[in-house]
Amino acid sequence: MDATGNQVYIDAYYKSNHAHVKWSFWASLIALVIGLMVLIIGVGLALAGSGTAASVTTTAAGIFTQFISAGFFFMYSKNLKQLNVFYDKLIRNQDTMFACGLVDHIPEAERPSVVQGIIGALLSRSGPSTEITPELVKALADAKQSGTALR
């Protein structure tokens, strides 16, 4: 898959996740409003002196619906957090593609050191336990070319 096709796929996936988060928020809000209305109706029935069973059942249903909406909001917050993680990965991907595209505009004599710097930066941003610098990447490449192994 080429870079453009990959970007289209990532954009479509992001839009899909964004739509799911939006639906999750609205479902949470609707459940909250319905639960609040049922709770108010139940309390109103109790205060009006209507049948005890009806007012208790309606109030309990309102409280139960409030718990359901709290669960929906919890799921919404998890979805939103996941969307933010994905968005960060999308930005990293775009930065990588941009950096690789800029290599074509570097003079041919300077490209190897620029490519090594990009590789070092890309590897170090993923958070390995050992810091990988452009100098380390260059040393590894030189060792590979000379046929010696680094220990």
Side-chain angles (χ1 to χ4, degrees), residues 45-92:
L45 286 174
L47 292 176
S50 122
T52 307
S55 63
V56 169
T57 303
T58 307
T59 304
I63 291 171
F64 183 67
T65 307
Q66 290 296 313
F67 279 113
I68 291 173
S69 69
F72 281 0
F73 272 113
F74 177 76
M75 292 304 295
Y76 166 72
S77 73
K78 292 289 187 183
N79 287 340
L80 191 59
K81 190 180 292 186
Q82 189 63 34
L83 182 67
N84 288 335
V85 167
F86 181 75
Y87 185 71
D88 182 50
K89 291 186 183 293
L90 177 65
I91 294 298
R92 284 181 164 211

Side-chain angles (χ1 to χ4, degrees), residues 115-117 119-121 123 132-143:
V115 168
Q116 287 175 352
I119 290 171
L123 291 175
I132 299 176
T133 63
E135 292 80 20
L136 178 59
V137 172
K138 184 173 182 356
L140 290 171
D142 290 344

Side-chain angles (χ1 to χ4, degrees), residues 37 44 125:
M37 288 186 334
R125 79 177 182 185

Side-chain angles (χ1 to χ4, degrees), residues 95-150:
D95 289 347
T96 303
M97 302 295 268
F98 183 66
C100 291
L102 288 177
V103 169
D104 292 337
H105 301 288
I106 304 292
E108 189 66 39
E110 297 174 20
R111 278 188 194 170
S113 63
V114 171
V115 168
Q116 287 175 352
I118 290 173
I119 290 171
L122 292 176
L123 291 175
S124 66
R125 79 177 182 185
S126 65
S129 58
T130 303
E131 185 175 333
I132 299 176
T133 63
E135 292 80 20
L136 178 59
V137 172
K138 184 173 182 356
L140 290 171
D142 290 344
K144 185 174 181 178
Q145 287 177 351
S146 67
T148 61
L150 293 178

